[in-house]
Amino acid sequence: MVYLFVGLVILLAIVVLLIIFYPKIKRARYKKDHISIYGKRVYKYALHNDLYLINKLALKGNDDQLLKIDHLLFGTKYIYVISDFYLPGNIEAKENDRSFVYTPLEKNAKKVYIDNVFISGAELTKKVASNLGLNPSLFIPVALVDDDADFGDFKPTLKNNYLVHVSNFNKLLDALEARKVAPLNDDQLKYAVMDVNRLNERKRK
């Protein structure tokens, strides 16, 4: 009976420690490897829905600048230009401001300005569409952020430019793919993927 009591106390202590330290452990893991974690989430979605996906894409823009895309996901209705962000902390955001105000979670952290992910995503997406010679309306930029990114009561109103926590990524994509719009042509989509692969500067190195 004594051993059972001691065992339960130890188990309870372990559970309490996990509850206390899990958020810190999770943040440390994301900080070190968030790109891989996000990539796996996007890959699983693509695999489950039988979609084309190109990770870590680099395209030479029309101005010879290199366009770096974390994930290019070819859905049935849209092509998603997905950018990864790790922003644990508070973000003061307004949709049309050039910058957001970001306060990291670290103790005594100072506020810093970061690029407005909607503007940077729209600019990148426009360049990608132009570079590939495709209609910009086929593309949707998505900013993928960690669950510890706190935007307060900020509620974006844009319909084709999204900011989403990684835990809600599947839900967002399901909603977009369920829209009552004409699907992309399968053959054209296949050739578009082949063209993008051919133009990928990362494969040439």
Side-chain angles (χ1 to χ4, degrees):
M1 191 70 178
V2 174
Y3 291 114
L4 178 60
F5 176 75
V6 173
L8 288 174
V9 170
I10 292 174
L11 180 61
L12 180 61
I14 292 173
V15 171
V16 171
L17 288 173
L18 284 175
I19 292 173
I20 294 172
F21 290 105
Y22 176 73
K24 293 183 179 180
I25 294 171
K26 181 181 177 182
R27 281 198 294 271
R29 178 169 171 258
Y30 267 67
K31 183 176 181 179
K32 180 181 178 181
D33 205 24
H34 69 278
I35 293 176
S36 175
I37 294 170
Y38 293 178
K40 288 177 181 177
R41 172 62 65 96
V42 177
Y43 173 76
K44 285 182 180 179
Y45 186 88
L47 186 65
H48 180 75
N49 292 280
D50 196 25
L51 304 177
Y52 295 109
L53 170 67
I54 301 176
N55 289 316
K56 297 181 179 180
L57 175 64
L59 298 174
K60 186 172 288 187
N62 294 330
D63 55 0
D64 283 337
Q65 287 187 335
L66 203 61
L67 306 176
K68 295 182 179 180
I69 303 98
D70 294 320
H71 319 281
L72 193 65
L73 179 63
F74 298 81
T76 60
K77 304 289 181 66
Y78 301 99
I79 301 172
Y80 303 95
V81 180
I82 304 170
S83 301
D84 297 338
F85 295 94
Y86 178 68
L87 298 169
N90 298 314
I91 297 98
E92 300 169 42
K94 290 185 179 179
E95 211 166 63
N96 297 317
D97 284 353
R98 192 70 203 180
S99 301
F100 292 163
V101 180
Y102 170 54
T103 307
L105 282 176
E106 286 83 1
K107 188 176 181 180
N108 299 322
K110 295 182 178 180
K111 294 182 178 181
V112 295
Y113 288 98
I114 60 174
D115 290 339
N116 180 328
V117 298
F118 295 108
I119 294 176
S120 61
E123 290 175 347
L124 176 62
T125 299
K126 184 178 180 180
K127 290 179 180 178
V128 171
S130 175
N131 187 72
L132 297 177
L134 296 174
N135 191 327
S137 67
L138 299 176
F139 293 80
I140 290 183
V142 176
L144 192 58
V145 299
D146 54 287
D147 292 336
D148 289 319
D150 184 1
F151 288 82
D153 58 359
F154 173 59
K155 292 180 175 60
T157 62
L158 299 172
K159 293 184 178 180
N160 283 312
N161 193 334
Y162 293 90
L163 168 70
V164 63
H165 290 106
V166 65
S167 60
N168 293 323
F169 174 76
N170 290 21
K171 184 178 179 181
L172 171 66
L173 267 290
D174 285 344
L176 293 174
E177 288 292 287
R179 283 181 176 178
K180 294 182 179 180
V181 298
L184 301 175
N185 181 280
D186 285 342
D187 289 335
Q188 291 179 347
L189 190 62
K190 187 183 298 183
Y191 285 117
V193 174
M194 292 172 61
D195 284 342
V196 173
N197 252 329
R198 178 176 53 82
L199 295 170
N200 191 356
E201 293 292 326
R202 291 187 186 274
K203 295 186 69 173
R204 300 184 182 188
K205 294 181 179 179

